[in-house]
Amino acid sequence: AQKITQTQPGMFVQEKEAVTLDCTYDTSDPSYGLFWYKQPSSGEMIFLIYQGSYDQQNATEGRYSLNFQKARKSANLVISASQLGDSAMYFCAMREAMYSGGGADGLTFGKGTHLIIQP
Amino acid sequence: DVKVTQSSRYLVKRTGEKVFLECVQDMDHENMFWYRQDPGLGLRLIYFSYDVKMKEKGDIPEGYSVSREKKERFSLILESASTNQTSMYLCASSKLGGATNEKLFFGSGTQLSVL
């Protein structure tokens, strides 16, 4: 079973509208972290936002917020007031604590959502 | 400005060639990773290393090997390149584990085409 599921392969959104990118995850580890990365056409992966499984509040970073619904195992990214420069691939990823430390500190990624902002 | 540098942005090789993809980080990170990115498949972990000369297989290690002779450098090796290894390769680094919030820092990627 996939650990990270992003159900939207692509999205078209009008400039200045808010965008929600979906992400669901699967883990039995009580301690985990969820990440969102942006990949513009240049190829570099840019870290956007992080949410820990024990965090009481939803994470926010500027125009980015993470709608964390633990019971549903959902970690949707919300971009407010979208801009043309937000057009990119967006990846949701997870690290599980039981695998951390000295052996498996990598992230498990979803398949990504291609977001296109239209003027 | 801290960074992860991949030696080539684009690379074209022939089937059967031995290919080296190089990655250098200047953040003194213990962990280094090689991911492969394909459309519709996301990023998949090939190999990672948490110390010099240490390596661990990821999810798709077949057809690849790695080398970590120095802390800052992690090389991905395709012993005999095949067309199904045409892909974007991303190198990343991070501090050694414990915290779930330890993010990965990525290079700009190498688009490899095997003809």
Side-chain angles (χ1 to χ4, degrees):
Chain A
Q2 286 185 57
K3 288 204 168 187
I4 297 287
T5 302
Q6 295 181 252
T7 57
Q8 306 150 310
M11 286 183 73
F12 288 88
V13 173
Q14 287 296 121
E15 192 180 4
K16 297 188 177 68
E17 288 184 354
V19 180
T20 298
L21 303 181
D22 295 340
C23 173
T24 57
Y25 58 92
D26 183 26
T27 181
S28 56
D29 191 339
S31 179
Y32 53 89
L34 297 158
F35 300 76
W36 277 92
Y37 280 83
K38 172 184 178 181
Q39 187 185 42
S41 56
S42 60
E44 187 171 352
M45 297 282 283
I46 301 166
F47 166 76
L48 294 178
I49 197 165
Y50 165 82
Q51 180 84 43
S53 59
Y54 294 119
D55 293 344
Q56 294 296 312
Q57 294 190 320
N58 287 343
T60 60
E61 290 284 353
R63 292 187 300 114
Y64 304 108
S65 60
L66 203 152
N67 184 2
F68 182 46
Q69 299 188 41
K70 196 169 180 176
R72 294 185 179 184
K73 293 188 175 178
S74 166
N76 297 341
L77 177 71
V78 180
I79 306 174
S80 63
S82 59
Q83 302 171 355
L84 296 178
D86 294 332
S87 294
M89 285 291 294
Y90 288 81
F91 291 96
C92 179
M94 176 173 65
R95 171 179 291 117
E96 297 162 280
M98 71 169 73
Y99 294 113
S100 68
D105 288 339
L107 301 181
T108 301
F109 285 84
K111 295 182 179 181
T113 296
H114 190 190
L115 175 65
I116 297 174
I117 307 298
Q118 297 176 308
Chain B
D1 197 18
V2 293
K3 52 179 14 179
V4 178
T5 303
Q6 293 182 233
S7 54
S8 304
R9 183 70 179 92
Y10 298 97
L11 212 52
V12 180
K13 296 292 181 180
R14 295 205 179 275
T15 302
E17 279 192 73
K18 190 169 184 176
V19 181
F20 292 86
L21 302 184
E22 306 286 348
C23 176
V24 176
Q25 52 95 4
D26 65 2
M27 293 171 279
D28 201 34
H29 284 164
E30 293 83 7
N31 293 327
M32 295 189 76
F33 308 85
W34 276 106
Y35 285 89
R36 170 177 171 159
Q37 182 182 0
D38 299 288
L41 296 179
L43 278 73
R44 294 177 291 168
L45 183 63
I46 306 172
Y47 266 98
F48 62 95
S49 168
Y50 54 91
D51 200 355
V52 174
K53 297 194 186 295
M54 304 304 291
K55 59 185 179 185
E56 296 275 352
K57 292 181 179 179
D59 300 317
I60 52 164
E62 297 78 20
Y64 304 95
S65 62
V66 290
S67 172
R68 187 136 181 232
E69 295 297 319
K70 293 185 177 182
K71 188 177 184 179
E72 66 271 18
R73 186 179 298 269
F74 192 36
S75 302
L76 180 69
I77 304 158
L78 288 67
E79 292 289 342
S80 178
S82 64
T83 54
N84 62 13
Q85 292 178 310
T86 291
S87 187
M88 170 72 88
Y89 291 88
L90 289 162
C91 176
S93 72
S94 74
K95 292 182 193 174
L96 190 62
T100 55
N101 65 347
E102 202 61 62
K103 65 189 181 201
L104 299 190
F105 293 83
F106 283 86
S108 297
T110 296
Q111 179 63 53
L112 173 66
S113 296
V114 182
L115 307 178

